[in-house]
Amino acid sequence: MSTKEKTTTSATERFNELFSEMECCNAEEQKHKIEELNELMDEMDRNKQKLVFTKEMFNTIDKMIEKKNFSLENAILFLKNVGYCCAMKRIYDHAFCESLLNERFKKMIIEEEEKKEGKNESLLVDLCECFSLLNFYFISDELISICVPCLLKAVSKKEESEETQKEVEIALLVLSEMGCSKVKQELYLKEITEIIKHQQKHRNLTKLAYQSAWQFIIDRLLFNYIIDHAVMNEIHFVKEATRELEELTKCVNWKKKEEEMSKEEAKEELTLMRWVETLKIYFRYCSLQNEEYVCLFCRIVQVYRAAKDNHIEISDKCIYSLRNATQNRFMKVEDLLKGGAVDAVLEEMQRRTVDGKIAFESLQFFSNVSYRLKEEERYEMEEAKRKATKMKMLEKLEEEGFEDIVISIHDIFNNRNRQIYTQLIVIVLHLILKA
């Protein structure tokens, strides 16, 4: 058995051993066990956590609550950190959704919300946080209508104490993990814009909390194009995203690999990656032009170049985001050129480590640009400007030896994908180089 396997076995066995001991402990002893379990969770990587966050674990917690062997207070204390770890390590599976505990929490949230008198607001927030963090998008409209207003009320606290801001960070993280679940505009738009405006004025939220607020609202673009105007003109998403990317790029230690980072460094890296993922959504669904896109593309390219050696997941997501930008007719090809997006994708295509998926995305980037140039030929009022952009693109591709690049990555694709790959090459060469 390798050292790595021994470490994995030791960590998971120790977790399971500690967890099994809790049923025989009193409430105070359980709190100490939970502290130990939380420390273990923080040390575990994603694969180790997936081994212990199982349906069986959640069912055991449900039985312990039923038998009163596990106080609800302690269960929430434990589950909130499990949910936080799942969000931070991007663990998305159905373990909690399929458990008995899921049904218990659903019932408790609804019953607490329906109370006419004596409603425990703090308990309701805790239940909503645990339930939403662990549910992997599977939240009914009824639960959304309860959880979203409840969590937004929790994050509206203006106190700047460390404890309060930690609570706010968790609540915003929970909201951001709701993904693309449908949420009625009247449940969130006014409140979330006020939270963002307050942060822009006072800068009292953590970096992760602020990113989470934006992620929640940008995810709603899929269902509600009206909020485009608020995002662009009222709370200035492009400007804020550009600034946050620049600041976080300076904070991350790019020489360290993820497993070498401290907890705080890993948090900064994850926050940056979440921003890039949010931009991928934004570029796909936004429907307004903005003169600040050039600066935003510059920052994404800056992140790509900083990340490409030791943080491949981030650099890959930068390429995906830029690819999405080429699909949106509100993003100008000229702005992509000025922002260095074309250079970054060409750089990626020339890297020896480029894999089939990224090579395909890179080709798709240029295929989309080809179509966009054709679109501008049909719709662009300033013909001279369109022709100048096309000439700049041609010069860039010829300068970098684009034809040689696409030929050199031919062997990356397997037989099944080679036909699609060849079609993309034909499209790109014909519409850009031969048009």
Side-chain angles (χ1 to χ4, degrees):
M1 184 181 290
S2 68
T3 304
K4 185 176 181 180
E5 288 172 329
K6 287 178 183 177
T7 304
T8 302
T9 303
S10 174
T12 55
E13 284 186 348
R14 179 60 182 152
F15 181 95
N16 290 329
E17 180 185 336
L18 279 170
F19 179 75
S20 65
E21 290 172 359
M22 285 207 294
E23 191 168 5
C24 303
C25 300
N26 61 38
E28 196 58 39
E29 290 170 336
Q30 283 179 350
K31 283 185 178 179
H32 292 301
K33 295 285 183 187
I34 290 168
E35 287 176 8
E36 291 183 67
L37 285 166
N38 287 348
E39 288 176 9
L40 259 181
M41 280 187 262
D42 290 340
E43 294 169 7
M44 287 178 172
D45 63 21
R46 182 172 182 271
N47 291 328
K48 294 174 189 175
Q49 288 177 347
K50 286 178 74 174
L51 289 173
V52 295
F53 299 160
T54 62
K55 176 182 174 181
E56 289 70 28
M57 183 191 81
F58 294 122
N59 281 340
T60 299
I61 293 172
D62 181 75
K63 290 176 184 176
M64 289 168 68
I65 293 172
E66 179 71 26
K67 294 178 179 178
K68 303 190 184 308
N69 292 331
F70 202 7
S71 71
L72 188 58
E73 179 187 356
N74 282 348
I76 286 170
L77 184 66
F78 175 66
L79 289 167
K80 198 178 288 190
N81 204 53
V82 171
Y84 182 82
C85 287
C86 287
M88 298 297 279
K89 293 289 171 63
R90 303 176 300 286
I91 299 172
Y92 303 120
D93 59 33
H94 299 191
F96 179 79
C97 307
E98 297 171 349
S99 71
L100 298 170
L101 188 61
N102 177 48
E103 295 303 317
R104 177 182 293 276
F105 273 35
K106 276 185 190 177
K107 184 180 178 184
M108 291 178 69
I109 289 170
I110 293 168
E111 287 177 351
E112 195 64 40
E113 172 64 17
E114 290 178 345
K115 285 182 180 178
K116 303 298 182 184
E117 295 180 1
K119 185 187 295 186
N120 187 332
E121 296 286 355
S122 177
L123 173 61
L124 186 58
V125 169
D126 286 337
L127 290 170
C128 287
E129 286 179 348
C130 291
F131 177 79
S132 301
L133 269 178
L134 294 166
N135 242 297
F136 183 49
Y137 301 168
F138 296 102
I139 307 177
S140 67
D141 290 345
E142 181 182 16
L143 269 296
I144 283 175
S145 68
I146 298 172
C147 291
V148 170
C150 175
L151 292 168
L152 284 170
K153 186 176 179 180
V155 303
S156 64
K157 297 175 183 178
K158 300 297 189 291
E159 300 96 325
E160 296 189 14
S161 69
E162 185 176 343
E163 183 180 354
T164 298
Q165 289 313 305
K166 186 174 181 181
E167 291 173 5
V168 169
E169 180 182 89
I170 286 285
L172 282 168
L173 181 66
V174 174
L175 286 165
S176 75
E177 288 298 301
M178 288 184 175
C180 294
S181 302
K182 289 185 180 180
V183 184
K184 293 178 181 178
Q185 179 181 316
E186 57 267 25
L187 289 178
Y188 71 89
L189 189 55
K190 181 177 181 291
E191 290 80 1
I192 201 75
T193 52
E194 286 179 357
I195 289 162
I196 288 171
K197 283 180 180 179
H198 188 271
Q199 167 65 4
Q200 290 171 350
K201 185 177 180 180
H202 299 282
R203 300 293 174 190
N204 61 323
L205 294 179
T206 66
K207 289 286 187 187
L208 177 60
Y210 191 44
Q211 186 282 326
S212 296
W214 276 114
Q215 185 170 321
F216 174 76
I217 195 169
I218 295 301
D219 280 342
R220 314 276 82 75
L221 280 174
L222 174 62
F223 300 110
N224 190 344
Y225 290 97
I226 294 172
I227 68 172
D228 244 6
H229 295 276
V231 165
M232 190 71 79
N233 302 319
E234 190 177 349
I235 47 180
H236 312 291
F237 172 73
V238 176
K239 179 181 177 182
E240 289 296 298
T242 303
R243 187 183 59 79
E244 289 294 310
L245 282 181
E246 185 173 16
E247 289 186 6
L248 282 163
T249 303
K250 294 174 184 176
C251 292
V252 174
N253 188 336
W254 296 106
K255 294 181 180 180
K256 286 186 178 181
K257 295 184 178 181
E258 184 177 352
E259 59 271 19
E260 299 170 338
M261 289 183 171
S262 68
K263 186 177 178 180
E264 192 56 39
E265 287 173 329
K267 185 176 177 180
E268 289 170 346
E269 184 213 30
L270 177 67
T271 304
L272 179 61
M273 179 154 47
R274 285 165 61 93
W275 267 111
V276 178
E277 290 174 335
T278 301
L279 285 166
K280 185 173 74 170
I281 301 289
Y282 176 77
F283 288 151
R284 183 172 181 183
Y285 297 114
C286 72
S287 58
L288 293 172
Q289 291 183 344
N290 190 304
E291 61 185 18
E292 297 173 325
Y293 282 139
V294 174
C295 292
L296 182 54
F297 292 142
C298 284
R299 294 286 80 77
I300 295 171
V301 170
Q302 181 186 26
V303 173
Y304 162 76
R305 288 180 174 145
K308 64 183 182 180
D309 291 327
N310 286 329
H311 302 261
I312 302 300
E313 189 174 0
I314 293 179
S315 64
D316 286 355
K317 290 181 186 299
C318 289
I319 299 298
Y320 298 149
S321 292
L322 295 174
R323 186 279 318 275
N324 272 11
T326 63
Q327 292 178 304
N328 191 322
R329 68 185 182 88
F330 296 99
M331 308 285 162
K332 297 179 181 179
V333 173
E334 181 183 14
D335 289 350
L336 286 160
L337 272 165
K338 287 180 180 178
V342 174
D343 299 89
V345 177
L346 284 168
E347 285 175 30
E348 182 61 26
M349 292 178 76
Q350 293 179 77
R351 282 163 57 82
R352 293 181 182 179
T353 55
V354 69
D355 62 18
K357 190 174 181 181
I358 288 296
F360 185 85
E361 295 295 333
S362 301
L363 280 171
Q364 191 69 57
F365 174 97
F366 287 107
S367 177
N368 293 339
V369 167
S370 302
Y371 280 115
R372 294 295 313 290
L373 288 169
K374 285 296 182 183
E375 276 184 344
E376 291 179 11
E377 184 177 7
R378 293 196 296 270
Y379 302 118
E380 179 67 65
M381 298 297 290
E382 301 177 41
E383 181 63 12
K385 187 176 180 181
R386 184 196 69 80
K387 286 183 177 179
T389 299
K390 185 171 182 178
M391 284 303 300
K392 287 178 185 176
M393 178 65 72
L394 281 166
E395 289 169 5
K396 176 65 65 178
L397 295 179
E398 289 174 0
E399 178 186 326
E400 298 296 332
F402 182 72
E403 288 183 86
D404 292 334
I405 292 172
V406 293
I407 291 168
S408 70
I409 62 175
H410 181 269
D411 291 338
I412 289 173
F413 295 89
N414 58 36
N415 291 330
R416 186 181 64 179
N417 293 327
R418 198 161 285 151
Q419 184 178 1
I420 299 173
Y421 161 83
T422 304
Q423 288 172 347
L424 281 174
I425 291 177
V426 170
I427 290 168
V428 173
L429 295 180
H430 177 70
L431 294 179
I432 295 182
L433 299 176
K434 307 302 181 186

